[in-house]
Amino acid sequence: MALRPIVTLPNPILRKKARKVTDFGPELQSLIEDMIETMQDAPGVGLAAPQVNVPLRLFVAEWGDDEDEEAPKQLYVLVNPEIKRLSQETVIGVEGCLSIPGIVGEVERAREVTVQAQNRHGQKMKPKAQGWLARILQHETDHLNGELFIEKAEKVWKQSAQEPEVPAAD
């Protein structure tokens, strides 16, 4: 495992649609392990492959229970994710991004989401999420489509030292 450099704006890979993963072999497994280590070291709660300069449809995320901060975090690896359902109910939340350091913004997102994807071994999965995890899944899927939170934000600002730290959605 190795830490990978996180690319930041204006790197053009952040604006390009990522390619579908077709090979689930050792190279992909190594990339996933590197991404998990990089995300945790950053620290972030999600990281998409384009953020480590790899144009593949893959992201990792780690989040616990919205209601219970003591609950252990769960690790998610989603390959070739597609958002299949968004709730009509939306919520506005403050997001940050490891690829846009020091900038945060208010983004309206669906409160609940259903995603169709594959796990790290190519098996189909269909996770459903709500709350902050739903926000993370939407934010990371946006990365795979070349979209950044600042484009969807109603308001964007530089994070000051006095503000509480926002968990970087990636």
Side-chain angles (χ1 to χ4, degrees), residues 18-92:
R19 293 187 324 265
K20 184 175 182 177
V21 173
T22 56
D23 183 353
F24 290 81
E27 266 187 50
L28 181 71
Q29 301 309 314
S30 179
L31 170 62
I32 291 168
E33 291 303 320
D34 290 354
M35 287 176 60
I36 292 167
E37 186 176 346
T38 302
M39 172 189 66
Q40 291 171 337
D41 182 71
V45 294
L47 185 68
Q51 292 181 274
V52 292
N53 214 24
V54 178
L56 292 177
R57 296 191 68 76
L58 155 70
F59 69 79
V60 298
E62 189 172 50
W63 189 250
D65 187 325
D66 284 347
E67 304 296 320
D68 182 4
E69 291 182 18
E70 300 300 315
K73 293 179 179 178
Q74 185 171 346
L75 182 64
Y76 301 86
V77 177
L78 278 77
V79 181
N80 299 322
E82 290 181 45
I83 294 178
K84 289 299 185 182
R85 190 184 80 71
L86 296 168
S87 65
Q88 289 187 344
E89 182 184 357
T90 61
V91 289
I92 295 175

Side-chain angles (χ1 to χ4, degrees), residues 10 16 32 44-45 49 58 65 71 81 107 116 126 136 157 169:
K16 293 183 180 166
I32 291 168
V45 294
L58 155 70
D65 187 325
V107 181
Q116 184 174 308
K126 200 169 188 177
I136 295 168
W157 65 93

